[in-house]
Amino acid sequence: MGTLEHLHLYCEAPDLVDARKFRYANIEQSLTNIYNFAAYQEYDTSLQDTTRQTKLQEDFERTVLQTELLERPICRNSTVVNEKRTQHQAILPRHQIEIFTLLQKLPASKLQEYDDSPLAHRAGLIHSISEDSFSLDTATIIDVNFLGLFPKSLLDVLRRYKNKLKSDLQVELNTSLPVSCLPLSTVLLQFSESSNVF
């Protein structure tokens, strides 16, 4: 038995590992569907057949990187202070995860998670923080999205994208976020499935 973040993110119990893999696979598939929809809108081809990222993907990934570095209230020595990160800790590129794995600062499972779900990692929906380094006292919204706290800045990216679509192509994005084991995949699945392109 451990803390909530240990159970959701790090516990090696087979059932919890399977639940994480299932959640990550759903998030990855949902992002693939959303980006594929955007690729058809922008390039008239699938995401797999284009060599470019979609504007939606670029906005999503840029916004998540900015969001991680925003100033936020943290708890330091039993006092709440405002602080911001000077470098990324939750959202790392693959080569940096590989280096941290070789230096044994991250478990090898983080590299496997990245390889299995690269879009979700780059979108900040799966973070790359080791259990020893993870602290809710200094966490950003990106660090705690497993609790169902979907970053407002990312939701704004999806809303702006939806509003740019032609009225006959607009999708309905359900903004009620259930706090459950699968909150992110639920939101993304609702967005991708309502597009009815596939």
Side-chain angles (χ1 to χ4, degrees), residues 105-143:
K105 292 183 179 181
L106 281 176
S109 61
K110 284 292 178 188
L111 186 58
Q112 186 61 49
E113 283 177 3
Y114 187 96
D115 289 341
D116 293 342
S117 307
L119 296 176
H121 266 274
R122 291 196 310 265
L125 301 176
I126 303 173
H127 70 66
S128 300
I129 300 175
S130 69
E131 186 171 10
D132 296 339
S133 304
F134 188 83
S135 169
L136 284 178
D137 294 344
T138 59
T140 68
I141 190 70
I142 302 302
D143 303 350

Side-chain angles (χ1 to χ4, degrees), residues 12 18 34 40 44 74 101 116 133 135 138 143-144 152 171 177 179 188-189 197:
E12 293 299 318
D18 290 345
I34 291 169
Y40 276 109
D44 200 28
I74 66 161
T101 300
D116 293 342
S133 304
S135 169
T138 59
D143 303 350
V144 295
K152 183 180 177 187
V171 293
L177 300 176
V179 179
L188 293 172
L189 280 169
V197 176

